[in-house]
């Protein structure tokens, strides 16, 4: 490859350098630089000269052909189905269910499209066993166990599949690239070949990527820039719920999440996550409040639990699961200052049930109420739900999508909805037995908490 140059790429964060360095100045990791070969400048400029700029006003709108994967939860995250010619990176920890999910969608896609499932990790027998267990049919579903990129591409040329699943990208390598399997060069070059194939042949490609212990996609982090969509598959090993979220999507929004449950017949969709989360809610306990956040177009109701106990440490402990730690500290500071609650004497453990992340300011009010309930030991009735943003003076500010949230709360049977006063408009209609309680300041919520009965 005369005229080609070598450069060094960090396998953790994708930073580049013209010389090898021991510690990456971007991500501060040690010994993560791999050497890769890039085409010479003259080869690049030859390719560049063919490209002409077009007038923006004369461009025609593209029409994306989408296929349904048979999993509405996945279609939603993809922006309404799998787009032909798109490359999707599906990443998650080992054992979370990536292979299971992709095998399951093969069943539906395989009814109408030609699907090639390439596995570099399992034998055909293992794949068949799993497919039997998941009751996968699909007349036009093909399985290939291969780790050589060029053989995969050759098989793609022969079969001409509409959908290609690569499980996983880290197992692919080619002799053309002088680097070991799983290295950043192999992963990058193999992915580039597959992306080029996808674009040229309008085939949709799923690339499975394993994540490292820090949660980033190890090695193929650099793939995030090259692919059309990046999906993270998350969940606790100890809990059967799994959430899929889009981190990047060129063909849809990145706010949507898909919720699944892992069972003995593979992944089952959970179209109404709020119901599942709320089903396990304890009754008549202090420190618990229901809240609602928007995940894309879908409101999700979840339970916030706050355990507030006298501290045994010189400085009180604070932990938060499912809610931003800094935001929790800010809300605690507001409650201390505006309501005189002595959180500094107490440890605070905050938890959002069901593995949902509350990353919207509208969760503030329910978090604050759970905290107040936790410290005062007063109970919030299970008929109450709250949403609203809290400002530094303790004021409750209006939130968006109020009608979606109220509708979902009514559907789940809540009878008292505590919301920002500004959000109550004549257009906001609720059934006669549901009460809308407008609040403008955080201390007004105290009136809606009751002292626990001694026998409960
Ligand atoms: P898998 O899809 O192999 O995970 P990944 O490809 O992300 O590494 O699934 C892993 C786990 O799921 C495995 O521990 C077994 C469990 N599982 C079930 O509980 N039910 C099932 O029907 C299947 C196929 C797997
Ligand atoms: Mg797997």
């Amino acid at each position: 490859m005369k005229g080609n140059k070598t450069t060094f790429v960090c396998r953790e964060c994708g930073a580049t350098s013209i010389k090898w360095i021991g510690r990456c100045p971007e991500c501060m990791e040690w010994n993560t630089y791999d050497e890769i070969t890039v085409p010479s400048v003259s080869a690049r400029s030859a390719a560049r000269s063919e490209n002409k700029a077009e007038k923006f006003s004369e461009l025609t709108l593209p029409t994306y052909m989408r296929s349904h994967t048979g999993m509405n939860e996945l279609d939603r995250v993809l922006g309404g189905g799998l787009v032909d010619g798109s490359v999707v990176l599906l990443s998650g920890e080992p054992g979370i269910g990536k292979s299971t999910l992709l095998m399951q969608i093969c069943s539906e896609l395989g009814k109408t499209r030609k699907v090639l499932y390439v596995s570099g990790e399992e034998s055909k027998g293992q794949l068949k066993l799993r497919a039997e267990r998941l009751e996968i049919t699909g007349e036009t579903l093909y399985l290939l166990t291969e780790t050589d990129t060029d053989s995969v591409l050759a098989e793609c040329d022969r079969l001409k599949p509409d959908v290609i699943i690569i499980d996983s990208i880290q197992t692919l390598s080619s002799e053309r690239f002088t680097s070991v399997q799983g290295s950043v060069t192999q992963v990058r070059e193999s992915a580039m070949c597959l992306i080029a194939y996808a674009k040229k042949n309008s085939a949709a490609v799923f690339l499975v990527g394993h994540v490292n212990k820090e949660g980033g996609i190890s090695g193929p982090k650099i793939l995030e820039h090259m692919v059309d969509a990046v999906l993270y598959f998350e969940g606790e090993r100890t809990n059967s719920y799994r959430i899929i979220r889009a981190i990047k999507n060129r063909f849809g929004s990145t706010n949507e999440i898909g919720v699944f449950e892992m069972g003995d017949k593979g992944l089952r969709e959970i179209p109404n996550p709020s119901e599942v989360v709320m089903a396990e809610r304890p009754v008549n306990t202090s420190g618990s409040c229901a809240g609602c956040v928007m995940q894309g177009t879908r409101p999700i109701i979840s339970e916030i639990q706050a355990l507030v106990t006298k501290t045994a440490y010189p400085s009180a402990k604070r932990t938060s699961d499912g809610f931003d730690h800094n935001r929790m500290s800010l809300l605690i500071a507001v409650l201390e200052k505006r309501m005189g609650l002595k959180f500094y004497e107490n440890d605070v453990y905050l938890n959002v049930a069901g593995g949902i992340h509350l990353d919207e300011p509208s969760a503030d009010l329910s978090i604050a109420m759970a905290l107040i309930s936790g410290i005062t030991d007063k109970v919030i009735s299970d008929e109450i739900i709250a949403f609203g943003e809290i400002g530094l003076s303790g004021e409750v500010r209006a939130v968006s999508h109020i009608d979606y949230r109220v509708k979902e709360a009514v559907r789940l049977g809540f009878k008292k909805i505590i919301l920002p006063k500004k959000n109550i408009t004549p257009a906001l209609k609720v059934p006669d037995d549901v009460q809308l309680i407008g609040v403008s300041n955080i201390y007004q919520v105290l009136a809606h908490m009751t002292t626990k009965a001694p026998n409960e």
Side-chain angles (χ1 to χ4, degrees), residues 93-100 130 133-134 262-266:
E93 283 177 24
I96 207 76
K98 302 179 293 296
S99 307
T100 308
R130 186 200 300 248
R133 182 146 136 230
L134 298 171
M262 179 66 93
D264 52 1
K265 285 243 162 72

Side-chain angles (χ1 to χ4, degrees), residues 90-104 117 121-122 129-131 133-134 167 208-210 233 237 242 261-267:
L90 175 67
S91 85
E93 283 177 24
I96 207 76
K98 302 179 293 296
S99 307
T100 308
L101 177 73
L102 293 176
M103 185 65 100
Q104 279 180 273
Y117 189 110
E121 299 185 346
E122 287 158 299
L129 207 69
R130 186 200 300 248
R133 182 146 136 230
L134 298 171
D167 189 2
V208 170
H210 292 296
F233 206 13
R237 288 272 204 125
R242 303 280 182 268
E261 185 178 11
M262 179 66 93
D264 52 1
K265 285 243 162 72
L267 290 156

